[in-house]
Amino acid sequence: MSRIGSLLGRGVRYVRTYGVPQLYRKIQERRKLDSLERPYQQWLKAQQPSQEEQRAQREAGFSRRPRISILVPAYETPCEFLRQLVDSVCAQTYENWELCIADGSQSSQVEDTLSVYLERDSRIRYQRLGQNRGISANTNAALAMAEGEYIGLLDHDDLLFPQTLYEVVRALEANPGARAVYTDEDKISFDQTRHFQPHFKPDFNLELLRSNNYICHFFVVERKLAQEAGGFNSAFDGAQDYDFILRCGERAGQMVHIPKILYSWRSHASSTAADPESKRYAYEAGKRAVEAHLWRQGIEAAVLDTANYGFYRVKYGRDRERSQGPRKARMPVLINSFENIHGQKGIKVVYYDKACNNIVTFPKKDVTDGYVLFTCVRRGRAERGFLEELKSVCDRPEVGLACARVYDSRGRLSHEVEMAGVRSPFSLSVKGLRRGYLGYFHRACLQQEILGITDCFFMRAELFSRLARLYREESCKETGLTVDWLAEKVRSMGFWVVYDPWAVLNEGK
């Protein structure tokens, strides 16, 4: 009955904020994802190493075997959860680790639970803090205990798979320049009987990280880098890991993604994994963490909440928007045909046909407009702020292409949104998604760096002219090239291809 009451309460709060239609879509989308992920439990079991493979992992001949210090800030942790956590660490096939537990509990239950482990394994280290200093300060106490070359972050009620640390060291061996590593993760039920909601993550994607802490767990970083970044900041308690990851990412140079489920996040009544409302303060702290990151990077932008806790919109070009005058003077762009903006506002429009292999013809001379808009949509309606949004993203020096979110005449997403490094064995495409639906881990409506392009994208004319000259120099072909080649070339030049879901185009019938 208590769980039913909790669900009803969450539903009422959600309806008050976002309305019944959005709650219906949220429920329907969750049901579809649950259906797609039904084989997950069996699939996950098949991925686990056999006894022979675990033996081989223990005997693996790495060129170096760094010690990994696992940090656990404990506070009145239920005995059963704590034992399961420690057992999951003791079961690691890579054995050069230490477990650093800083305990802010008032009671002695954590210490009493650990007493047996402390007697039999010297790798487990424990400190009673005497008071709860807050999660950041407690984690900093665990960090001060650490002696390993790397540290890993583990919540006090979560679990590692036996091969987790082996896979981490294997990734570090294969990427000697890496200073940080993260893995895919899933959720596990209160009683450990069910794994669910696997999160198959992309390779390091800063644009996405600014929208949501997709890295989360399991995160391993050089201890030296953690100290350079300043450890954990109590000003961001609740989202201290998010702030810490952003600061480490600013210094890491190379952050490696291991595309394997190696961490289980326990989902129970008081966990954000089960009830986002239970730690709403954490999402406010997350927003401030992104704001602080952008400020450190010297980026003018505003961080806005979205309709979903923990997911943010970064609105770039804040000063530019202010200079455009009052909102009433900025009318929405209503497009019957993009021809009515061709050559106006400094924009050249280039059409291409998806049915004809996405081919475009480059001009024989440089483009004098400020921007070029590519589209295969000839009739449609762009939502308010469409061009301004694309411009604000495209004007960033690291961005080559800014891609809009496009819905076809049936109100379905007309394109895929694909990030590098996602290794999902399940069908989780966002193409064809109905308007108002979010996609796998909200990917249909989050800013992110992507591999390809959508059905409408924007670029600076200067970059377009550079590519046109390069194409004329390298190619003797009479025909035009494809927009897919264009995106690939932009990426090879070191620019980002960014999906901006806040620039929305609706194709006309």
Side-chain angles (χ1 to χ4, degrees), residues 356-371:
C356 297
N357 300 319
N358 290 342
I359 290 177
V360 296
T361 302
F362 271 52
K364 297 184 182 299
K365 57 182 180 180
D366 289 351
V367 176
T368 57
D369 300 280
Y371 303 90

Side-chain angles (χ1 to χ4, degrees), residues 80 96 99 167 283 362 438 449:
E80 182 181 7
N96 192 14
L99 180 59
E167 294 289 355
Y283 306 123
F362 271 52
L438 305 174
E449 185 183 352

Side-chain angles (χ1 to χ4, degrees), residues 206-219:
L206 182 56
E207 194 77 3
L208 179 64
L209 186 60
R210 289 170 177 168
S211 300
N212 169 252
N213 182 15
Y214 79 90
I215 289 179
C216 205
H217 302 119
F218 182 48
F219 183 66

